[in-house]
């Protein structure tokens, strides 16, 4: 007989936490099937309940690496040209720069997104910092304090959603695209990808009770995003392609309420169709108004 833990990783049940500012969901995933095990408030009381649950069920979660997906307000993205270095010199320089940019923040990272074609051929680096890490760190610490548990990765929605963008926009590596999606508690996530690289992402709280409210919020938040583009000297003079993933019952209504123009081109995607494309088989009533697609992308990659 083959023991459970000798099965290939693709066939094992995996566990993870979806962390937002208001709540934390404990979920399991196996080959595209989700189960929401518990939901905790993102505060001391919720953390205490989570820790007790983990300790009481440690045998269930033993040898299962946890994956954490953060979808919080308060992220910072900086793109800079820095000297091309290798090995320890690159690591040390990037670490120093991150501490200068995100003073006191431990949840940060740097990603080299290419090199300049001429001159010194400096690296083009994206520096990322989670400024509201106080919403995430306590949950990481709770997992790492229990010896039988292990932490596989911590990721943010902006990077994970690149897997979804690949499925809905076949030309995503050759142009600039703004990906929009709605998540728990009416969180609107906008992530700007330039030729396959994350440039920045922002989360805003919106009212999503009906299509009219969502449409009004999209227009308002898009204006703010374009203003931010201007501050970063990102030109949208040639137009902006926007892929919007939303629940199927809202796709048709939003198409009528938000008309594309010559420069702003919207394409709406039915979340259930996207789910089938990426292999998410769990029937979820909130699909397109939660982070199920993003969590699936995190588990399946």
């Amino acid at each position: 007989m083959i023991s459970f833990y000798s099965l290939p990783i693709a066939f094992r049940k995996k566990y993870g936490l979806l962390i937002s500012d208001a709540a934390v969901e404990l979920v399991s995933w196996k080959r595209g099937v989700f189960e929401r095990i518990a939901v905790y408030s993102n505060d001391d009381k919720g953390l205490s309940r989570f820790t007790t649950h983990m300790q009481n069920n440690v045998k269930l979660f033993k040898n299962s690496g946890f994956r954490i997906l953060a979808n919080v307000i308060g992220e910072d993205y900086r793109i800079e040209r820095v000297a091309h270095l290798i090995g320890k010199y690159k690591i040390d320089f990037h670490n120093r720069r991150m501490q200068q940019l995100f003073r006191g923040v431990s949840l940060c990272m740097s990603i080299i997104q290419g090199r300049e074609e001429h001159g010194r051929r400096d690296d083009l680096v994206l520096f990322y910092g989670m400024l509201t890490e106080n919403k995430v760190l306590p949950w990481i610490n709770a997992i790492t304090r229990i010896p039988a548990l292990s932490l596989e990765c911590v990721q943010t929605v902006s990077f994970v959603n690149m897997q979804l963008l690949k499925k809905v926009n076949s030309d995503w590596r050759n142009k600039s695209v703004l990906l929009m999606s709605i998540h728990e508690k009416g969180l609107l996530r906008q992530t700007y990808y330039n030729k396959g690289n994350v440039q920045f992402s922002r989360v805003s709280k919106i009212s999503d009770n009906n299509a009219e409210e969502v449409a009004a919020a999209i227009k308002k938040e898009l204006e703010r995003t374009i203003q931010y583009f201007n501050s970063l000297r990102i030109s949208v003079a040639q137009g902006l392609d926007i892929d919007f993933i939303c629940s199927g019952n809202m796709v048709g209504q939003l198409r009528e309420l938000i008309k594309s123009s010559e420069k702003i081109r919207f394409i709406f995607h039915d979340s259930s169709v996207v789910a089938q494309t990426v292999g998410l088989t769990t029937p979820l009533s909130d699909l397109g108004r939660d982070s199920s697609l993003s969590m699936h992308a995190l588990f399946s990659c």
Side-chain angles (χ1 to χ4, degrees):
M1 180 179 292
I2 300 175
S3 67
F4 175 82
Y5 291 112
S6 66
L7 288 172
I9 191 66
F11 294 95
R12 299 180 191 172
K13 183 172 286 190
K14 304 176 184 179
Y15 297 94
L17 292 180
L18 169 63
I19 301 179
S20 63
D21 293 87
V24 176
E25 291 188 21
L26 172 63
V27 303
S28 69
W29 179 93
K30 183 179 178 181
R31 302 179 72 183
V33 178
F34 263 115
E35 179 186 356
R36 287 187 174 91
I37 300 172
V39 180
Y40 308 94
S41 55
N42 197 342
D43 53 25
D44 292 340
K45 184 177 180 180
L47 183 63
S48 177
R49 287 182 54 229
F50 169 74
T51 302
T52 300
H53 182 79
M54 290 293 102
Q55 293 172 338
N56 292 341
N57 297 276
V58 69
K59 289 184 179 180
L60 174 65
F61 301 106
K62 185 178 180 181
N63 297 326
S64 299
F66 270 79
R67 299 188 179 194
I68 290 179
L69 181 63
N71 192 25
V72 296
I73 298 173
E75 301 172 329
D76 198 358
Y77 300 78
R78 307 285 186 91
I79 299 176
E80 296 189 353
R81 291 175 171 81
V82 302
H84 177 69
L85 302 169
I86 60 174
K88 181 178 181 297
Y89 300 103
K90 182 192 73 174
I91 294 172
D92 289 346
F93 181 84
H94 283 207
N95 286 339
R96 287 196 304 271
R97 187 59 185 143
M98 283 188 288
Q99 287 308 307
Q100 291 171 350
L101 293 171
F102 319 118
R103 192 171 302 277
V105 173
S106 56
L107 292 179
C108 51
M109 63 180 175
S110 62
I111 302 174
I112 297 177
Q113 297 189 331
R115 296 182 66 181
E116 288 186 310
E117 296 181 359
H118 307 289
R120 297 193 310 170
R121 301 208 61 213
D122 288 342
D123 288 334
L124 303 175
V125 182
L126 172 68
F127 292 102
Y128 166 84
M130 188 179 294
L131 306 185
T132 52
E133 63 178 14
N134 61 306
K135 290 290 185 179
V136 179
L137 270 179
W139 301 87
I140 294 176
N141 294 334
I143 292 174
T144 56
R145 287 194 188 107
I146 302 175
L149 304 182
S150 62
L151 182 65
E152 281 190 358
C153 68
V154 180
Q155 193 55 274
T156 181
V157 169
S158 58
F159 294 100
V160 169
N161 274 4
M162 190 182 295
Q163 304 302 317
L164 304 179
L165 182 61
K166 291 179 182 179
K167 299 298 183 179
V168 301
N169 193 321
S170 59
D171 199 33
W172 70 289
R173 282 195 178 276
N174 299 315
K175 61 182 181 181
S176 299
V177 181
L178 183 67
L179 180 65
M180 286 186 170
S181 52
I182 298 177
H183 300 262
E184 293 77 12
K185 303 297 182 181
L187 295 179
L188 176 67
R189 163 80 67 168
Q190 300 180 71
T191 306
Y192 182 65
Y193 302 89
N194 180 33
K195 296 183 178 179
N197 293 316
V198 176
Q199 300 289 282
F200 87 94
S201 187
R202 60 183 293 260
V203 184
S204 49
K205 188 85 165 76
I206 67 169
S207 176
D208 65 339
N209 295 319
N210 53 60
E212 288 77 12
E213 291 183 352
V214 172
I218 291 171
K219 294 174 183 177
K220 182 178 179 181
E221 294 302 327
L222 180 58
E223 287 180 4
R224 293 177 176 175
T225 297
I226 292 176
Q227 290 174 1
Y228 189 60
F229 281 157
N230 294 333
S231 70
L232 296 178
R233 296 183 179 178
I234 296 175
S235 174
V236 293
Q238 300 302 316
L240 178 63
D241 290 318
I242 302 174
D243 286 288
F244 196 108
I245 299 175
C246 56
S247 57
N249 61 355
M250 201 173 279
V251 170
Q253 298 177 73
L254 290 180
R255 282 186 182 138
E256 292 300 318
L257 293 167
I258 305 175
K259 298 294 186 180
S260 296
S261 64
E262 183 179 347
K263 291 189 176 181
I264 306 295
R265 300 174 288 270
F266 275 91
I267 301 177
F268 294 95
H269 305 276
D270 185 332
S271 55
S272 61
V273 175
V274 179
Q276 294 175 8
T277 303
V278 299
L280 177 59
T281 59
T282 306
L284 296 167
S285 58
D286 289 334
L287 190 62
R289 295 180 62 178
D290 62 12
S291 295
S292 301
L293 286 170
S294 302
M295 286 297 292
H296 174 77
L298 178 67
F299 280 122
S300 59
C301 65

